[in-house]
Amino acid sequence: MCAIWWFCLLQLSLWFGLPVALFWCLSVCLSRVYLGVHTVLDVLAGLLVAIIMLVLCLPAITYLDWFVFDFEYTLIAAPLFVILLLYVYPVEADKWSMDRGDTAAILGVGLGTLLGFHLHGRFPDDIGTGGFEVALPSLQVVGVSIVRFVVGVLLLLPTRFIMKLLCFRLLPLIMPTHGVQEVVKRPLVELPYKIITYGMIGFNAVYLVTYVFEICNISR
């Protein structure tokens, strides 16, 4: 889906963009099978879900933008939707699951990113109005990109460290009879920990970091 989104955004020709998108998708899928992380059936199911989501979401992109930027109750509806998704996750509620923890982290990043965009109130102005022009970057652009990367990392790494530290300090207070690792493996603690920590990372990536870029005059 990301490959197809960039294909549309960069306004690439069909004969160039489509092979790149297919190569990207196949590389990711085959790597999962090669590493033994997923089976072929997992990959095929994931591709099917991605295609269905793409077909459903592309026609509704205008409504999704409205939900992100203009809906009055986004700050309430988005977290409730994430909680609902975790509630219906197909694992017994009282058992710890690494997959569910990873899912909570992914949903947390998505939630934080969505809320960050909602509060920030804008995408870059040229998105959706013709796409980015494809051109070789100048030395100045490369230099600014490196600076932006370094600044972003310096802001996001402390975010994860601070949130993780706070959670690990507070979790033993919630369940004082267990060690930290055992506490984290409890679903009622693990899921909020993942959502809050990675949600803050996603939020800062599109909200805090953007403002710092503007202050440092390194915005796009």
Side-chain angles (χ1 to χ4, degrees):
M1 290 182 67
C2 290
I4 296 174
W5 184 80
W6 275 106
F7 165 73
C8 298
L9 183 63
L10 295 175
Q11 301 292 299
L12 299 175
S13 67
L14 178 63
W15 296 109
F16 176 78
L18 188 58
V20 171
L22 291 176
F23 176 76
W24 186 349
C25 294
L26 288 175
S27 297
V28 173
C29 294
L30 293 177
S31 68
R32 309 309 291 172
V33 177
Y34 176 77
L35 294 173
V37 180
H38 293 291
T39 65
V40 175
L41 185 60
D42 291 336
V43 171
L44 293 177
L47 284 174
L48 179 61
V49 171
I51 292 172
I52 293 174
M53 290 180 62
L54 192 63
V55 171
L56 294 177
C57 290
L58 279 181
I61 193 68
T62 301
Y63 301 101
L64 293 176
D65 284 347
W66 169 80
F67 177 78
V68 172
F69 295 108
D70 300 323
F71 184 48
E72 184 178 358
Y73 301 105
T74 295
L75 295 178
I76 299 175
L80 289 178
F81 182 67
V82 169
I83 293 173
L84 175 63
L85 290 178
L86 290 175
Y87 178 77
V88 299
Y89 192 85
V91 174
E92 294 184 29
D94 59 342
K95 291 186 177 181
W96 179 78
S97 167
M98 181 179 295
D99 292 336
R100 182 169 53 191
D102 293 341
T103 301
I106 294 171
L107 290 175
V109 171
L111 176 62
T113 302
L114 186 150
L115 296 181
F117 274 128
H118 177 76
L119 294 179
H120 206 289
R122 66 177 179 85
F123 275 117
D125 295 334
D126 48 3
I127 291 184
T129 58
F132 297 133
E133 179 183 355
V134 180
L136 292 176
S138 63
L139 291 178
Q140 180 181 2
V141 171
V142 173
V144 171
S145 299
I146 294 174
V147 173
R148 285 162 57 93
F149 173 78
V150 173
V151 172
V153 170
L154 292 177
L155 290 173
L156 295 181
L157 284 181
T159 298
R160 183 178 183 276
F161 174 78
I162 292 173
M163 297 308 301
K164 185 176 181 179
L165 180 63
L166 289 176
C167 288
F168 277 18
R169 289 291 181 89
L170 295 176
L171 294 181
L173 298 178
I174 299 174
M175 297 182 178
T177 58
H178 298 271
V180 172
Q181 294 302 323
E182 290 300 320
V183 170
V184 172
K185 287 187 177 182
R186 294 198 170 197
L188 291 178
V189 177
E190 174 208 16
L191 299 184
Y193 155 68
K194 294 281 188 177
I195 292 175
I196 293 172
T197 299
Y198 291 95
M200 284 301 300
I201 292 175
F203 179 83
N204 285 345
V206 299
Y207 191 78
L208 175 64
V209 172
T210 302
Y211 279 118
V212 173
F213 284 173
E214 292 177 355
I215 293 173
C216 298
N217 198 27
I218 54 175
S219 297
R220 184 182 181 278

